[in-house]
Amino acid sequence: MNTIVVAQLQRQFQDYMVSLYQQGYLDNQFTELRKLQDEGSPDFVAEVVSLFFDDCAKLINDMSISLERPDHVDFKQVDSGVHQLKGSSSSVGARRVKNVCIAFKECCDVQNREGCLRCLQQVDYEYKMLKTKLQDLFNLEQQILQAGGTIPQVDIN
Amino acid sequence: MRGDSFSVSIENLPDSPMGSRKKKMKIRKVFDKMTEWVTPWRSNFESPRERMIMRGDVEQDEFQYASSHCLSSYYSVFVARLAIMVMLAILIGLLTVLTWHFTRVYTKQSLQTLAYGLRYELLQRPVLRMWSVLNTTSELTTAQVKLSEYVIKKYDKPTTQEELVEMYQAMKDVTWALFASAKALNAITINYRNGFVQAFHRDPASSSTFYIFSDLKNYSISGTGPGDVSGWNNQSIHGNMSAIWYQQQLDPITGEKLGKPLKIPPDDLINIAGISQVPDGEASWHVTVSKYMDSPLLSAALPVFDASNKSIVAVVGVTTALYSVGQLMRDLVEVHGGHIYLTSQEGYLLATSTNGPLLTNTSNGPKLMKATDSEEWAIKAGAQWLEKTYGSNRPHVVHAENVKLGDQQYYIDSFYLNLKRLPIVGVVIIPRKFIMGKVDERAFKTLVILISASVCIFIIGCVCILILTNGVSKEMKLRAELIRQLDARRRAEASSNYKSQFLANMSHELRTPMAAVIGLLDILISDDCLSNEQYATVTQIRKCSTALLRLLNNILDLSKVESGKLVLEEAEFDLGRELEGLVDMFSVQCINHNVETVLDLSDDMPALVRGDSARLVQIFANLISNSIKFTTTGHIILRGWCENMNSLHDEMSLTVDRKKPWAPMKTKMVQHRSHFQKSFKNTNKMVLWFEVDDTGCGIDPSKWDSVFESFEQADPSTTRTHGGTGLGLCIVRNLVNKMGGEIKVVQKNGLGTLMRLYLILSIPDTADQNIQPDFSKYGLVVLLSMYGSTARMITSKWLRKHGIATVEASDWNELTHIIRDLFETGSGDKSFDSQHNIADPLRAEPSNIKEIENPVFVIVVDIGVLDLTTDIWKEQLNYLDRFSSKAKFAWLLKHDTSNTVKTELRRKGHVMMVNKPLYKAKMIQILEAVIKNRKRSLSSGLRNRGNISDESHDCLEIDPTQFDTCSSDDSSETSGEKQVDKSVKPSTLQSPVLKNYLIDATNSKGDSTSASMTQKNPEEEDWKDRLYSGIALDGKNLKSLEGIRILLAEDTPVLQRVATIMLEKMGATVTAVGDGQQAVDSLNYRSINAQAPTEEHKSSEEETAPWSSLRHSSPYDLILMDCQMPKVDGYEATKAIRKAEIGTELHIPIVALTAHAMSSDEAKCLEVGMDAYLTKPIDRKLMVSTILSLTKPSLSQTSSSS
């Protein structure tokens, strides 16, 4: 009984993981991240990811404040924020966020406020989206662990 | 009205001056009108052109989008042209017609109105005259009647003859008075009841007046009773032949009788109005004729009643001639022309404007004539036309225009004048040309002018359209052509781009398997169990593979450069050493070819420059290998001199003779100089000039430019003889351009090719690079004995420049003679002179040498001077050995000099051996060795002379590393050179001047030269280590970073966490800091700095020592530095760290971490002093290998030293 549930959950987890990759939410960097997680640091991925999201929230907030003033936008500040976001998102493997960040940076370089605002919204959306997705993923993980199963290795290729 | 008609009539008079003026005015008017018409037409003409141009624009667009529709649009142009022409024609035609029509219609209408008025007037006047004539007649008649009534009443019922006569007399008087007063009257007649007639008559022909009366005898007073009207008849008069008529001429004015009364026949009687004419007692009118008058007469008759008013007592008749009406009409017609006539209602002519007769003579005397029977042609024709047109019921008023009478056109107007009892019809006939003649003529002329003008304008317009459309179509054709060309060019460029890209990709893809093939072949070659045959085959395969790899490398380089992807390295390197290595390498090939390779670098060349050494070497390697290919005998010289940017002008003036062919390039450079200076204000830029001069077959001047194109060879046939792809020079040019320089083939005196190029390289700020040892004070004398004249000449020139006496010898004989001359003093100068035919400077040299005090002789002998083919060389050696105490021998060996020779030389105590070619650095090395030797021998004193022989164990040989590179693999020169560069660099950096060409073979001496060997061993180990670690990584050795202490400076918490975990997984000890300032602080250099100088001082003699001691003082082995951080970013932090390291031997490896992936960022990172560069997201393998490569050497060194 339990094993069936576990197997089901595991399959579900795998499918979900694959779908995240296929939909472009994540890339290989996330796999790398998962590889780093072991007994020594069981919640490493969740920790890093939550760090990332906190970071995101903070940066997006900062940037939105910077971009709010229509007349005088401190693009330098926005740029550094985007840069940081890009770095962290690529490190975590948040592919979509990273891609938006690239576009965001281009907008920033040409000092296009409208574009920046658009990208900001997109980034906001993407990271929240990712947050929910990963939340689901971690929930699944927890369920598997509670059911006494192991987290399956997902090979994305 | 009158005046108007006159002016019109005058206008029509052709000869009047006023008319001509008017004509001019009219012409002007017409002209104005025409211009008025033409001007709008012009603007109309403009508009189609505009339309056309717009159309052209549209078609241009069409062209841009569909150039293939060229032909169809060409036809459409044709059609458009035609359409425009047709439109123009229609327009012009319309304008012409309208112009003509309007001008004509208006004039015609106004003229018509005028003409109508004129005609009306013309007719009105005679009619009025007629009317007045009638009136006059009527009045006179009435007056006469009244007078008669009065007289008759007075003599009422005359009873006696006397009374009667008296009454008649009274009547006569009264009548005369009336008659005389009315001059226009023709006659007044009174016909009494009794038949007596009294009449006055004027004959206009003879202008005489007559009184006509009848004989009274036959008349009784009581002849007829009153009321008996029947007695009144005409017959009574005419029939009563018995009555005698008398005619008496009267004075027309006084009425006095002139002469006697004459009897006249009744026939001659004038028309006497009888009672028959007044049957009703009313006034009657009729037209009569008289035989005295040729015009009709108008006669009126009225009865005279008696007192009781009951009976008619007499009839009064008054006759008026219509002659005056005719006269008036004639007058009118005389002015206007044409004809006027009046007729009675029945058509009898009453008056005409002509002189023609109005009456017809018949047997019964003259009779009235009908108008249709008039003798005047015009009147007759007009009357007939009227008759024919209208018949009997003619309307009262007729206006007919353009009536064709005969061959002329006429206006015919007819008016009906309804007089009581005598209706009159008046007709005016005027020829049309009298009124409209001029107008018609003008109209015709105008029409002709208009038509001709229109035709002219149309033709001109057509021509214009043709020209314009021609231009447009030409332009369109050109445009289409241009578009096609652009398209083709774009396609070509695209395909060329694809080609380059494809080549780059392909060559890259091909290189990988090639590397494997070569590696495997190397393994195979090193395998011992190959048979000789197999070995040869494998070697052959290896050669082919390397050739193929080189080709691939070339292609890759070229496409890299072309696609702009090549980023030049910016690193310090020893230019001289690179070039020397290059020349060494090629000299091996050249010696086989019997070609001299000479390196001639000027002394002012900077030793250290910044730039891409590998690419620089590639440039010269390509050039020299190219030269070697085409040079069979002679020499290849690589010259180099430098030029400071700032002293460009001075240089130019000084070296004009040398760089003359470069004048244009030079000026270009001067132009660029300001730019350079601007952009490189802080860096010290140098212009380095190089020449590669060979004595090969040369290049045709026409190909000088094209040889630098890819796949281009000066002579296509050379591909067969020399091989090659023609890529070499292209790469060279690209690289030179990339380094801010230019390359050209220059005119050369004599055979061969001279390639000249300049490069702009920055030199590091380290002051005083050119430490040129001063040799002049040692009293050195150098005897150069080399068979290669070029190298010898250059070397001797350089030596002399540095104050070293030099003697040259080209072969064995010369050498011996000079030696003898120098050392065997007994022979003297004279014998030397007489025996040898040496050039002047050579001859002068020995004498100078003699004057040098305590000279130190250095004899540089080329091994080729000895006769190696036989055993004579041993004897020659023995001969030279005699002088070994007096002079130092330095031997120039070839790379293939046999070991027997080497050992023999060594045995003889000749320690200084260098490989050919001899260049500056080698020469300096030799001289320094000599000087050092000399010093040592001097310092040790003369007490131990055997010391020298002890030192003779020093066997100096070529740096084995270099040697290996040169001889083993000339094909993979790039990688080879790199390797050399790397291995050599540490020592190079420590001692820029002293380079080790000579190696201590015994390794026992603590000489400075021995350092390189000791240093080399750890290096090799290190190399192996690195390879090993690479393999270990592949084997998933997670703990590969065991024991390494890493400082991670990263502000993003995510990355910090990830990287920390990543590194810790691999065994490293990680300390994470949030920004650059913390990173700098945590290094805590200040304390180290305090003790650093002493340690440095201590270790100045040994190069490896400081590492070990200082390394331990640093708390970390490596720093991973994020570039963008708050407060102090990575670049600043690195700068700070490097600054703190100045003065210490410390160099902590710093690895940049950045999300930027451009090579420019990499350059920036390296510029501030970082050692490596990693991009985010961090690739684990790459990171590990980078960290290992940076930390392991020091670790291994640490281990080796400890």
Side-chain angles (χ1 to χ4, degrees):
Chain A
M1 177 64 193
N2 209 11
T3 51
I4 293 167
V5 172
V6 167
Q8 207 175 353
L9 279 171
Q10 278 178 342
R11 197 162 55 246
Q12 204 180 335
F13 178 82
Q14 270 175 328
D15 290 348
Y16 195 67
M17 197 78 167
V18 168
S19 77
L20 283 181
Y21 278 89
Q22 277 171 354
Q23 286 164 26
Y25 283 103
L26 298 171
D27 59 20
N28 279 332
Q29 195 62 28
F30 190 74
T31 320
E32 293 289 320
L33 213 60
R34 281 174 59 79
K35 275 183 195 163
L36 288 173
Q37 181 170 301
D38 56 13
E39 294 78 24
S41 51
D43 293 328
F44 172 69
V45 175
E47 183 195 336
V48 168
V49 165
S50 66
L51 266 175
F52 169 65
F53 287 135
D54 292 349
D55 208 28
C56 273
K58 195 178 100 246
L59 285 170
I60 286 168
N61 191 33
D62 288 353
M63 284 190 283
S64 67
I65 287 166
S66 296
L67 282 169
E68 235 157 47
R69 282 171 300 178
D71 50 335
H72 179 71
V73 178
D74 187 358
F75 278 104
K76 211 171 167 187
Q77 200 180 333
V78 177
D79 191 60
S80 77
V82 176
H83 186 78
Q84 213 171 334
L85 198 59
K86 188 180 146 202
S88 48
S89 60
S90 60
S91 300
V92 169
R95 191 168 156 196
R96 280 198 183 189
V97 180
K98 188 185 83 184
N99 288 343
V100 177
C101 278
I102 290 166
F104 198 165
K105 195 153 167 56
E106 278 166 12
C107 284
C108 224
D109 286 340
V110 296
Q111 307 224 329
N112 178 3
R113 182 168 166 271
E114 296 302 312
C116 283
L117 282 172
R118 207 172 51 241
C119 288
L120 189 72
Q121 280 173 0
Q122 234 172 315
V123 165
D124 196 44
Y125 170 78
E126 288 297 345
Y127 107 80
K128 279 175 181 158
M129 196 76 180
L130 184 66
K131 198 172 176 178
T132 35
K133 298 265 178 195
L134 287 179
Q135 200 64 52
D136 293 347
L137 192 77
F138 292 142
N139 285 342
L140 263 176
E141 263 184 18
Q142 288 302 317
Q143 282 175 21
I144 293 167
L145 288 174
Q146 276 167 8
T150 53
I151 309 296
Q153 284 298 317
V154 183
D155 190 22
I156 314 293
N157 277 320
Chain B
M1 188 78 190
R2 199 185 172 90
D4 281 353
S5 65
F6 252 91
S7 74
V8 169
S9 63
I10 283 165
E11 199 183 312
N12 282 325
L13 285 174
D15 292 334
S16 77
M18 204 174 157
S20 68
R21 204 195 307 154
K22 285 233 170 184
K23 202 165 39 176
K24 272 179 198 161
M25 273 172 66
K26 225 176 173 181
I27 287 167
R28 198 186 300 160
K29 232 189 209 161
V30 168
F31 180 73
D32 282 350
K33 254 188 186 161
M34 268 182 63
T35 46
E36 227 177 82
W37 278 108
V38 165
T39 327
W41 179 79
R42 267 184 200 147
S43 65
N44 279 351
F45 183 64
E46 293 292 318
S47 62
R49 194 169 57 175
E50 277 168 24
R51 223 177 309 147
M52 205 163 63
I53 287 162
M54 269 172 61
R55 204 189 150 81
D57 280 343
V58 169
E59 278 174 3
Q60 275 167 29
D61 290 348
E62 280 173 6
F63 255 103
Q64 278 179 349
Y65 290 115
S67 57
S68 60
H69 293 143
C70 171
L71 204 67
S72 69
S73 70
Y74 186 67
Y75 283 122
S76 81
V77 166
F78 221 78
V79 170
R81 195 185 286 175
L82 217 69
I84 290 163
M85 279 184 193
V86 168
M87 269 160 60
L88 185 68
I90 289 167
L91 201 73
I92 292 169
L94 217 68
L95 284 174
T96 313
V97 167
L98 280 174
T99 314
W100 189 73
H101 176 74
F102 281 122
T103 49
R104 203 179 133 74
V105 159
Y106 288 137
T107 41
K108 212 171 164 184
Q109 223 157 35
S110 60
L111 278 174
Q112 211 93 52
T113 321
L114 280 173
Y116 178 72
L118 171 72
R119 273 144 36 203
Y120 188 77
E121 178 74 14
L122 277 178
L123 205 60
Q124 203 69 12
R125 277 155 61 187
V127 167
L128 280 172
R129 179 63 67 89
M130 195 75 187
W131 177 248
S132 74
V133 166
L134 279 172
N135 265 355
T136 321
T137 313
S138 152
E139 277 162 17
L140 282 172
T141 314
T142 319
Q144 179 63 35
V145 166
K146 291 300 171 200
L147 283 170
S148 304
E149 277 178 353
Y150 172 74
V151 171
I152 289 166
K153 213 181 279 174
K154 205 174 167 186
Y155 298 95
D156 193 22
K157 309 272 188 198
T159 49
T160 63
Q161 197 71 23
E162 287 79 25
E163 267 181 6
L164 203 65
V165 170
E166 199 178 332
M167 189 189 77
Y168 289 147
Q169 189 59 45
M171 278 298 288
K172 184 190 166 190
D173 290 342
V174 168
T175 309
W176 169 250
L178 209 64
F179 184 71
S181 69
K183 297 273 197 242
L185 290 182
N186 187 255
I188 297 180
T189 61
I190 305 167
N191 191 4
Y192 296 94
R193 188 177 181 152
N194 57 3
F196 185 72
V197 171
Q198 280 179 310
F200 290 93
H201 166 66
R202 278 193 190 100
D203 186 4
S206 59
S207 71
S208 51
T209 312
F210 299 100
Y211 174 61
I212 297 165
F213 58 94
S214 60
D215 190 6
L216 279 169
K217 278 180 263 182
N218 297 334
Y219 302 108
S220 62
I221 299 164
S222 55
T224 330
D228 184 15
V229 184
S230 60
W232 290 79
N233 50 42
N234 278 339
Q235 277 83 21
S236 65
I237 298 166
H238 292 290
N240 189 7
M241 289 303 157
S242 61
I244 302 157
W245 299 77
Y246 299 93
Q247 184 186 45
Q248 185 165 27
Q249 199 172 4
L250 299 173
D251 184 275
I253 299 147
T254 57
E256 294 292 315
K257 290 175 185 167
L258 297 172
K260 288 203 164 204
L262 295 171
K263 271 191 185 172
I264 52 164
D267 284 355
D268 284 352
L269 273 177
I270 56 163
N271 205 359
I272 310 274
I275 194 80
S276 61
Q277 287 173 338
V278 283
D280 48 354
E282 291 289 315
S284 79
W285 296 89
H286 63 268
V287 178
T288 58
V289 292
S290 138
K291 66 174 169 186
Y292 303 107
M293 302 279 289
D294 55 353
S295 71
L297 300 169
L298 180 73
S299 72
L302 266 179
V304 180
F305 292 92
D306 62 349
S308 57
N309 236 359
K310 286 200 179 101
S311 61
I312 297 164
V313 286
V315 174
V316 174
V318 176
T319 309
T320 317
L322 290 174
Y323 177 75
S324 64
V325 178
Q327 191 61 44
L328 179 72
M329 291 196 314
R330 261 195 292 281
D331 286 349
L332 289 173
V333 165
E334 208 172 292
V335 178
H336 300 298
H339 305 273
I340 305 173
Y341 71 91
L342 295 174
T343 62
S344 62
Q345 199 171 15
E346 294 80 24
Y348 292 105
L349 274 176
L350 297 180
T352 65
S353 59
T354 59
N355 293 322
L358 297 172
L359 309 172
T360 46
N361 279 317
T362 59
S363 50
N364 306 338
K367 272 218 175 140
L368 282 171
M369 197 162 44
K370 286 239 180 190
T372 48
D373 302 327
S374 169
E375 284 179 16
E376 189 65 31
W377 175 82
I379 292 169
K380 185 179 172 183
Q384 275 170 353
W385 181 82
L386 280 170
E387 188 93 350
K388 205 169 75 189
T389 315
Y390 299 103
S392 52
N393 46 0
R394 184 191 305 182
H396 288 253
V397 179
V398 172
H399 292 294
E401 291 169 14
N402 305 335
V403 176
K404 187 99 179 163
L405 302 179
D407 53 354
Q408 257 191 314
Q409 285 194 316
Y410 290 89
Y411 288 106
I412 294 177
D413 301 80
S414 150
F415 301 91
Y416 180 73
L417 190 68
N418 193 13
L419 294 173
K420 199 177 179 188
R421 291 168 193 267
L422 187 65
I424 292 173
V425 175
V427 175
V428 182
I429 301 170
I430 300 175
R432 189 193 153 88
K433 70 173 176 190
F434 275 44
I435 294 167
M436 301 297 259
K438 284 286 156 189
V439 175
D440 284 344
E441 201 181 323
R442 286 283 146 78
F444 181 69
K445 273 184 190 166
T446 313
L447 189 67
V448 167
I449 289 167
L450 266 176
I451 287 171
S452 48
S454 315
V455 167
C456 284
I457 289 165
F458 177 69
I459 289 165
I460 290 166
C462 283
V463 169
C464 282
I465 287 165
L466 271 177
I467 289 165
L468 283 171
T469 49
N470 227 25
V472 169
S473 65
K474 250 181 207 164
E475 194 191 314
M476 279 196 297
K477 260 186 262 176
L478 280 174
R479 227 176 265 263
E481 194 69 22
L482 195 71
I483 287 162
R484 260 203 300 278
Q485 299 273 342
L486 280 175
D487 213 41
R489 207 185 75 185
R490 213 171 30 238
R491 267 201 295 270
E493 274 173 1
S495 73
S496 149
N497 257 352
Y498 289 140
K499 193 187 73 190
S500 313
Q501 226 153 18
F502 170 77
L503 282 177
N505 289 339
M506 280 315 286
S507 52
H508 185 83
E509 294 304 314
L510 287 170
R511 229 152 46 132
T512 321
M514 278 313 293
V517 167
I518 289 168
L520 291 172
L521 283 171
D522 282 338
I523 294 168
L524 202 57
I525 286 167
S526 58
D527 199 350
D528 291 335
C529 37
L530 286 174
S531 70
N532 276 347
E533 207 176 322
Q534 281 168 333
Y535 184 81
T537 315
V538 171
T539 315
Q540 198 59 45
I541 295 169
R542 171 78 166 74
K543 266 186 197 162
C544 294
S545 306
T546 45
L548 191 55
L549 187 63
R550 187 168 49 165
L551 183 61
L552 288 173
N553 281 342
N554 275 347
I555 293 170
L556 185 63
D557 280 344
L558 189 64
S559 44
K560 239 187 186 171
V561 174
E562 275 183 351
S563 61
K565 277 178 190 155
L566 183 82
V567 177
L568 290 177
E569 219 174 84
E570 273 284 312
E572 273 180 33
F573 67 96
D574 188 337
L575 180 68
R577 192 174 167 99
E578 296 288 349
L579 294 179
E580 281 155 12
L582 196 69
V583 171
D584 280 337
M585 185 177 88
F586 279 109
S587 70
V588 177
Q589 277 185 32
C590 288
I591 288 164
N592 292 344
H593 275 89
N594 194 22
V595 174
E596 242 182 307
T597 320
V598 185
L599 178 70
D600 177 18
L601 297 177
S602 73
D603 286 335
D604 55 357
M605 287 284 274
L608 285 179
V609 293
R610 288 188 69 84
D612 195 327
S613 58
R615 298 297 169 190
L616 190 91
V617 167
Q618 197 183 353
I619 291 172
F620 292 108
N622 271 330
L623 287 176
I624 293 171
S625 69
N626 216 39
S627 290
I628 288 170
K629 236 185 245 172
F630 298 104
T631 310
T632 45
T633 55
H635 58 251
I636 294 163
I637 307 175
L638 173 58
R639 283 193 204 96
W641 66 96
C642 97
E643 183 178 332
N644 205 327
M645 268 294 191
N646 304 324
S647 60
L648 195 71
H649 281 293
D650 312 338
E651 282 280 323
M652 252 177 90
S653 53
L654 284 171
T655 56
V656 145
D657 54 328
R658 195 169 184 187
K659 289 154 194 167
K660 221 166 206 168
W662 283 68
M665 220 154 130
K666 202 72 180 218
T667 47
K668 208 163 149 196
M669 252 178 56
V670 174
Q671 283 166 5
H672 280 296
R673 197 163 59 106
S674 56
H675 169 68
F676 279 132
Q677 277 177 346
K678 228 177 270 169
S679 51
F680 308 115
K681 230 169 199 167
N682 299 325
T683 50
N684 199 358
K685 286 273 165 187
M686 282 281 234
V687 179
L688 299 178
W689 290 83
F690 295 97
E691 273 180 1
V692 177
D693 185 356
D694 68 45
T695 52
C697 60
I699 298 172
D700 189 76
S702 62
K703 298 272 181 110
W704 280 2
D705 285 326
S706 63
V707 284
F708 295 109
E709 303 294 329
S710 42
F711 303 108
E712 192 65 53
Q713 283 178 322
D715 184 3
S717 62
T718 52
T719 316
R720 285 192 299 277
T721 48
H722 302 285
T725 52
L727 281 175
L729 284 179
C730 183
I731 293 170
V732 166
R733 192 190 52 178
N734 279 328
L735 286 173
V736 168
N737 289 346
K738 195 100 185 163
M739 292 185 189
E742 264 184 78
I743 181 161
K744 257 191 183 175
V745 184
V746 248
Q747 185 67 47
K748 184 194 171 190
N749 293 330
L751 208 65
T753 315
L754 179 57
M755 299 261 192
R756 192 174 280 166
L757 66 139
Y758 72 87
L759 301 171
I760 294 172
L761 294 173
S762 56
I763 51 170
D765 293 331
T766 48
D768 194 28
Q769 293 194 0
N770 301 314
I771 308 161
Q772 291 297 336
D774 186 16
F775 298 112
S776 52
K777 60 185 176 193
Y778 300 112
L780 291 170
V781 176
V782 177
L783 173 57
L784 286 177
S785 166
M786 296 154 73
Y787 67 89
S789 60
T790 321
R792 193 180 64 225
M793 224 163 68
I794 287 167
T795 315
S796 67
K797 216 184 199 170
W798 179 80
L799 286 170
R800 282 197 194 112
K801 205 178 131 199
H802 283 275
I804 299 164
T806 313
V807 188
E808 293 177 48
S810 61
D811 56 30
W812 177 250
N813 284 341
E814 263 182 52
L815 177 67
T816 49
H817 280 295
I818 291 168
I819 287 174
R820 224 180 300 150
D821 189 38
L822 287 174
F823 300 117
E824 293 172 8
T825 46
S827 55
D829 282 1
K830 280 164 202 163
S831 62
F832 181 73
D833 267 347
S834 58
Q835 278 173 6
H836 303 290
N837 189 13
I838 315 169
D840 277 339
L842 270 177
R843 210 180 343 167
E845 207 63 58
S847 52
N848 289 342
I849 291 162
K850 294 250 171 67
E851 288 154 22
I852 298 170
E853 267 183 56
N854 196 13
V856 180
F857 289 99
V858 181
I859 302 173
V860 180
V861 188
D862 189 343
I863 202 76
V865 172
L866 304 181
D867 190 354
L868 294 172
T869 47
T870 54
D871 276 348
I872 300 169
W873 63 273
K874 284 186 180 161
E875 285 170 33
Q876 287 171 330
L877 262 185
N878 286 334
Y879 173 75
L880 290 177
D881 210 25
R882 281 194 282 157
F883 306 101
S884 61
S885 56
K886 291 174 183 166
K888 276 283 180 190
F889 280 92
W891 290 93
L892 288 180
L893 303 181
K894 283 188 194 178
H895 68 284
D896 56 353
T897 306
S898 63
N899 262 330
T900 46
V901 179
K902 282 186 199 170
T903 43
E904 184 62 28
L905 283 172
R906 215 169 284 151
R907 202 175 55 78
K908 295 269 183 201
H910 298 293
V911 288
M912 286 194 287
M913 288 183 273
V914 291
N915 255 5
K916 282 187 86 171
L918 179 68
Y919 42 74
K920 206 175 77 185
K922 281 181 186 169
M923 199 65 220
I924 291 171
Q925 184 83 38
I926 292 168
L927 292 176
E928 273 175 352
V930 168
I931 290 163
K932 205 174 276 170
N933 216 339
R934 173 109 180 143
K935 271 185 191 164
R936 202 175 292 158
S937 58
L938 281 175
S939 64
S940 59
L942 295 169
R943 62 188 160 90
N944 194 1
R945 256 197 169 275
N947 219 3
I948 299 162
S949 62
D950 184 34
E951 261 179 67
S952 67
H953 283 293
D954 290 358
C955 187
L956 301 168
E957 220 181 86
I958 305 301
D959 186 324
T961 323
Q962 263 187 347
F963 189 80
D964 281 351
T965 319
C966 297
S967 53
S968 68
D969 186 15
D970 57 55
S971 50
S972 59
E973 67 260 9
T974 321
S975 57
E977 281 302 308
K978 260 189 176 164
Q979 202 173 337
V980 170
D981 187 31
K982 265 180 195 159
S983 58
V984 163
K985 216 166 223 173
S987 64
T988 313
L989 287 170
Q990 302 306 325
S991 53
V993 180
L994 260 179
K995 278 154 269 183
N996 304 303
Y997 299 97
L998 312 170
I999 280 185
D1000 190 356
T1002 53
N1003 204 10
S1004 60
K1005 280 285 160 192
D1007 209 73
S1008 65
T1009 48
S1010 63
S1012 71
M1013 204 60 201
T1014 51
Q1015 197 183 341
K1016 204 176 161 302
N1017 288 340
E1019 251 174 53
E1020 272 173 6
E1021 281 166 31
D1022 160 39
W1023 193 247
K1024 279 175 191 161
D1025 231 15
R1026 229 180 282 178
L1027 281 173
Y1028 170 74
S1029 65
I1031 293 160
L1033 269 177
D1034 287 337
K1036 297 248 172 194
N1037 188 351
L1038 283 173
K1039 298 285 175 190
S1040 50
L1041 297 179
E1042 190 73 68
I1044 295 176
R1045 294 157 304 160
I1046 291 170
L1047 176 67
L1048 173 68
E1050 168 66 65
D1051 62 320
T1052 322
V1054 182
L1055 258 178
Q1056 205 179 48
R1057 190 84 186 92
V1058 172
T1060 308
I1061 290 286
M1062 219 183 248
L1063 291 167
E1064 278 174 355
K1065 292 269 170 205
M1066 287 178 284
T1069 319
V1070 182
T1071 314
V1073 292
D1075 63 54
Q1077 189 57 50
Q1078 290 175 29
V1080 176
D1081 291 344
S1082 60
L1083 268 180
N1084 202 14
Y1085 261 131
R1086 225 159 278 139
S1087 56
I1088 305 158
N1089 259 350
Q1091 52 177 269
T1094 52
E1095 273 197 78
E1096 191 195 26
H1097 186 68
K1098 243 194 281 174
S1099 61
S1100 60
E1101 288 291 307
E1102 311 159 303
E1103 278 110 20
T1104 51
W1107 282 110
S1108 53
S1109 52
L1110 271 179
R1111 229 191 57 75
H1112 290 291
S1113 61
S1114 172
Y1116 303 108
D1117 297 317
L1118 183 126
I1119 303 175
L1120 276 174
M1121 185 80 82
D1122 184 20
C1123 288
Q1124 282 206 341
M1125 279 187 292
K1127 287 186 215 167
V1128 179
D1129 69 12
Y1131 304 119
E1132 291 300 321
T1134 309
K1135 274 185 206 164
I1137 291 165
R1138 291 291 178 244
K1139 207 174 158 192
E1141 280 173 357
I1142 288 175
T1144 70
E1145 284 299 323
L1146 211 56
H1147 183 96
I1148 188 158
I1150 300 178
V1151 179
L1153 272 180
T1154 172
H1156 295 293
M1158 312 279 197
S1159 52
S1160 62
D1161 293 300
E1162 186 173 358
K1164 195 178 170 189
C1165 290
L1166 299 179
E1167 199 180 308
V1168 297
M1170 294 185 181
D1171 301 272
Y1173 169 90
L1174 287 174
T1175 53
K1176 295 176 190 173
I1178 298 162
D1179 182 70
R1180 204 153 47 111
K1181 282 180 198 166
L1182 196 64
M1183 183 172 76
V1184 169
S1185 62
T1186 310
I1187 290 171
L1188 282 178
S1189 69
L1190 286 167
T1191 52
K1192 272 285 147 89
S1194 48
L1195 282 181
S1196 63
Q1197 231 158 19
T1198 316
S1199 57
S1200 67
S1201 63
S1202 61

